[in-house]
Amino acid sequence: MIDVLYFAWVRERIGLPRERVDSQAATVRDLVAELSAREDRYAAAFADLASLRVALDQDLADFDAPLAGVREVAFFPPMTGG
Amino acid sequence: MRVAVQTDPFDLGAEAAGFAAAAAGAGAVVTFTGIVRPTDTGALQAMEIEHYPGMTERAIAAMMDQARARWGLIDALVIHRHGRLALGEPIMMVATAAAHRAAAFEAAEFLMDYLKSRAPFWKKEITDAGADWVAAREADEDALTRWQAS
């Protein structure tokens, strides 16, 4: 089981801040494909990966990163702090 | 070094004075404050800032470690608010203390550039026309390259 977190407009589009996902996905990209296949709201949120960022266990990663051993995946738009 | 991620307002003057007083041996203290400003489109009613608890503190601490090592900082401070903020309210502040001003200025700019694009905060502007997430600017991403190149 992986904890999947969503922030900002990704959270709004999917309609929840976090969920537990039972997934055998090997990479982030595979997880995105699994989620996108679920429902339109996921497919809409993940339509353009270039406009998204991903963090694995609270460190920025890329979409080809492996998920082995990862407990927490977060998807969000580019950050706008400061 | 201190990182504070909070909803409460902070007292810029008191924070700056306390930081400077505690930075023994520093010849230069630089502070920067970011403030909620009017938007280009529509009258801003408020700004809402969302963040990723846990990752935020961790990402900022990593930036501060990098800055300390690179510029030999004596101390650094980052305070960043989240939640709902009104026009004119301080959003965040950075303070750096070093032996000389070049290091303090550069380290503060480095921290600002990284906070903008690498700390997990997201701003939403609430205006008369509705609510919109602030889009990341390409210029902000480009600003990071100068720190990587040198």
Side-chain angles (χ1 to χ4, degrees), chain B residues 46-70:
Chain B
M47 176 171 272
E48 274 177 15
I49 301 178
E50 181 172 335
H51 81 116
Y52 182 173
M55 181 175 168
T56 308
E57 293 80 358
R58 184 185 159 105
I60 296 173
M63 290 167 204
M64 291 168 90
D65 282 343
Q66 250 187 293
R68 178 162 63 176
R70 185 160 171 178

Side-chain angles (χ1 to χ4, degrees), chain A residues 8 11-12 59 72 77 80 82, chain B residues 50 52 58 121-122 124 133:
Chain A
R11 170 180 54 75
E12 291 179 341
D59 278 321
E72 186 172 296
T80 53
Chain B
E50 181 172 335
Y52 182 173
R58 184 185 159 105
F121 290 101
W122 300 276
K124 190 182 207 177
W133 292 99

Side-chain angles (χ1 to χ4, degrees), chain B residues 1-24:
Chain B
M1 304 221 289
R2 181 161 75 93
V3 179
V5 180
Q6 61 190 49
T7 53
D8 290 342
F10 56 87
D11 183 334
L12 173 61
E15 292 291 350
F19 178 80

Side-chain angles (χ1 to χ4, degrees), chain A residues 47-71:
Chain A
D48 176 20
L49 290 190
S51 67
L52 288 181
R53 300 291 179 267
V54 62
L56 302 182
D57 290 331
Q58 306 190 353
D59 278 321
L60 281 175
D62 57 51
F63 285 89
D64 293 316
L67 288 178
V70 171
R71 296 162 62 175

Side-chain angles (χ1 to χ4, degrees), chain B residues 36-47 87 125-128 134:
Chain B
V36 180
R37 63 174 170 79
T39 45
D40 306 329
T41 53
L44 188 80
Q45 292 170 348
M47 176 171 272
L87 189 67
E125 291 173 342
I126 321 285
T127 70
D128 294 347
V134 174

Side-chain angles (χ1 to χ4, degrees), chain B residues 65-96:
Chain B
D65 282 343
Q66 250 187 293
R68 178 162 63 176
R70 185 160 171 178
W71 284 280
L73 294 183
I74 290 163
D75 200 5
L77 165 70
V78 172
I79 301 176
H80 203 304
R81 296 175 66 196
H82 62 98
R84 197 177 176 94
L85 279 65
L87 189 67
E89 277 192 70
I91 302 170
M92 53 81 62
M93 73 172 284
V94 159
T96 55

Side-chain angles (χ1 to χ4, degrees), chain B residues 30 70-71 96 101-111 146-147:
Chain B
V30 165
R70 185 160 171 178
W71 284 280
T96 55
R101 84 188 133 95
F105 269 120
E106 272 192 33
E109 273 207 278
F110 168 91
L111 287 172
R146 71 169 158 147
W147 303 114

